[in-house]
Amino acid sequence: MLNRQRLHRAQERMREQGIDAYMILTHDDYIYFFGEVRHQPRALIPAMGPPVIITFFGEEDEVKQSLGVDDARVFGTVGPQIKDVVGVMREMSGGKEQLRVGVQMWFSTPAFLLNMFQRANPQVEVVDIASVMDELRLVKEADEVELMTRAAQIARTGIETAVQFLRPGITENEVGAEIEYAMRKAGGGGVATPVFVNSGIRSAWLHGTTTEKVVEAGDLVVVDVVPRYRGYCANFTRTFVIGSPTSLQRELFETFQQAQAAGIAAVRPGIRNREIDAASQQVFADAGYGEQYVPGTSHSIGLDFEEMPRPTIHPADSRTELVEGMMLTVGHSVLSVPGVGGVRIEDTFHLRDGRAQPLVECGVEFELPA
């Protein structure tokens, strides 16, 4: 159902910034306002007045009933929808000719639709809606905390499944399939990023996937899971070694544990995001690995796998001050050593009562049977 308090807060910020309407093209903000996961979500939020749902023939009655809205504009194809939506915006703005329209500019925004919209409506000024939405979504409300805790429980199931299946001779893809199946069975609604099962030298990758590579004895294996639950995400990453670790592998693992612990200890309201990174980086530097770690140990998380502050993508976000009630991960980047592999340990936390508190506890075992 439509969350009217969130709607009114967004509209107030839109008016302050001279934005006439917000054209929603992504799942995260659609869920934020309407509380529903829907394929190809589309909606218009004017600076004043009720929102308009954009939908297709056959969906109108169900959309109105499930979302609790009165106005749903129905289209048969995408083409007319892209052009006629401007007419709807003008209606909502009292006939205004020159419109300033906000759009989310992020990973999941369908670029081809935005491009079609801009070509069909060159008189419309399109601006990034981040200045309106980022701050609104920074602090998580009680219902969001509950949903993210459930997502974290599902993520833990994914890690536990990896522990169960990681053995020499199995492929990364087979392990990834078991992880995704287990998380789906646990109630997950897919993943926000692909499941990583990066083994051997590829454990050093900052990003990853699953392939037909066979897991071998002695491999470092980085497993990263970001499941969704009713749209909300949680992130866990664990590193394993298949069999007995070498002294260097153990050193890397223990160094990362210490660095993550230092970052977690630094989390409190009022500090800047970069101070978390500095705490972790100091541990790496003291251990002689200052050049092997990519900065950006922490970012916010919620309806998207990375929300503001997201310093590995927007370096200016490192200046963002942490506030009570936000959700964040610590341990985001990877300690990569050429010729050896990498280690990464990441957890999701709620900044509550002045400190980082894990959404759920997830074991941190390192050695798996060979």
Side-chain angles (χ1 to χ4, degrees):
M1 294 293 287
L2 173 63
N3 190 312
R4 299 187 184 278
Q5 288 186 334
R6 294 177 186 175
L7 173 68
H8 294 154
R9 288 198 299 266
Q11 288 177 316
E12 182 179 1
R13 292 175 66 85
M14 288 166 61
R15 292 193 296 269
E16 290 171 353
Q17 298 177 36
I19 297 174
D20 299 299
Y22 176 16
M23 184 169 63
I24 294 180
L25 301 174
T26 60
H27 290 84
D28 49 348
D29 278 344
Y30 190 91
I31 296 168
Y32 182 76
F33 289 113
F34 302 106
E36 182 179 78
V37 178
R38 184 172 290 272
H39 188 58
Q40 295 189 0
R42 306 287 181 259
L44 297 175
I45 294 181
M48 293 187 68
V52 174
I53 301 298
I54 307 298
T55 189
F56 291 93
F57 292 120
E59 301 178 5
E60 181 182 6
D61 291 341
E62 186 272 331
V63 165
K64 287 182 177 180
Q65 181 177 359
S66 65
L67 300 186
V69 297
D70 297 321
D71 199 352
R73 303 299 174 97
V74 179
F75 295 91
T77 62
V78 172
Q81 182 187 109
I82 287 294
K83 187 166 182 61
D84 294 349
V85 75
V86 172
V88 177
M89 292 180 191
R90 288 204 179 96
E91 291 176 26
M92 295 188 300
S93 62
K96 187 176 178 180
E97 283 296 321
Q98 298 299 317
L99 295 173
R100 195 162 184 255
V101 176
V103 174
Q104 186 185 113
M105 306 291 189
W106 198 229
F107 285 106
S108 57
T109 303
F112 77 97
L113 282 183
L114 182 56
N115 180 258
M116 288 173 63
F117 174 81
Q118 289 178 299
R119 283 187 295 152
N121 303 285
Q123 76 283 9
V124 174
E125 180 188 1
V126 175
V127 298
D128 191 350
I129 201 67
S131 59
V132 171
M133 295 304 303
D134 279 356
E135 188 173 331
L136 291 180
R137 285 174 47 179
L138 185 63
V139 174
K140 301 302 187 276
E141 299 173 13
D143 63 320
E144 295 179 293
V145 173
E146 183 178 341
L147 293 171
M148 290 187 68
T149 300
R150 185 73 184 93
Q153 293 167 343
I154 293 167
R156 179 174 60 192
T157 295
I159 295 297
E160 292 170 346
T161 301
V163 171
Q164 179 183 353
F165 283 93
L166 273 172
R167 297 292 185 274
I170 195 168
T171 67
E172 296 172 344
N173 196 46
E174 288 172 318
V175 178
E178 296 291 351
I179 290 170
E180 292 195 44
Y181 177 70
M183 293 195 300
R184 280 281 191 177
K185 288 279 286 184
V191 293
T193 64
V195 170
F196 295 7
V197 183
N198 293 351
S199 64
I201 196 65
R202 300 186 326 173
S203 59
W205 290 4
L206 183 61
H207 300 101
T209 182
T210 63
T211 70
E212 288 303 303
K213 180 187 175 303
V214 174
V215 176
E216 301 177 28
D219 275 356
L220 287 170
V221 185
V222 173
V223 176
D224 179 87
V225 296
V226 193
R228 293 188 185 276
Y229 180 72
R230 298 186 185 176
Y232 283 83
C233 308
N235 188 187
F236 282 122
T237 308
R238 292 293 183 266
T239 301
F240 307 100
V241 65
I242 309 302
S244 298
T246 66
S247 59
L248 180 53
Q249 287 173 332
R250 183 173 294 282
E251 179 181 300
L252 294 177
F253 182 80
E254 291 177 351
T255 298
F256 201 104
Q257 277 190 307
Q258 294 163 14
Q260 188 201 30
I264 295 167
V267 173
R268 63 184 182 277
I271 71 161
R272 297 184 186 276
N273 188 269
R274 64 190 177 199
E275 295 177 64
I276 306 174
D277 208 42
S280 292
Q281 283 190 300
Q282 188 61 56
V283 174
F284 292 122
D286 290 346
Y289 297 110
E291 299 300 318
Q292 277 74 46
Y293 183 72
V294 178
T297 193
S298 178
H299 61 81
S300 186
I301 187 170
L303 281 163
D304 213 339
F305 63 95
E306 284 194 51
E307 297 185 346
M308 197 280 291
R310 41 199 174 225
T312 56
I313 300 171
H314 292 161
D317 283 3
S318 65
R319 298 193 295 267
T320 302
E321 288 190 3
L322 273 58
V323 295
E324 184 83 5
M326 68 183 292
M327 292 283 188
L328 67 159
T329 73
V330 180
H332 173 63
S333 201
V334 63
L335 174 58
S336 300
V337 178
V340 177
V343 172
R344 181 174 160 199
I345 306 167
E346 185 173 14
D347 294 86
T348 302
F349 299 90
H350 188 200
L351 179 44
R352 188 176 73 249
D353 298 331
R355 63 185 181 89
Q357 302 198 31
L359 281 184
V360 300
E361 298 289 346
C362 183
V364 189
E365 56 187 302
F366 182 41
E367 299 178 45
L368 297 181

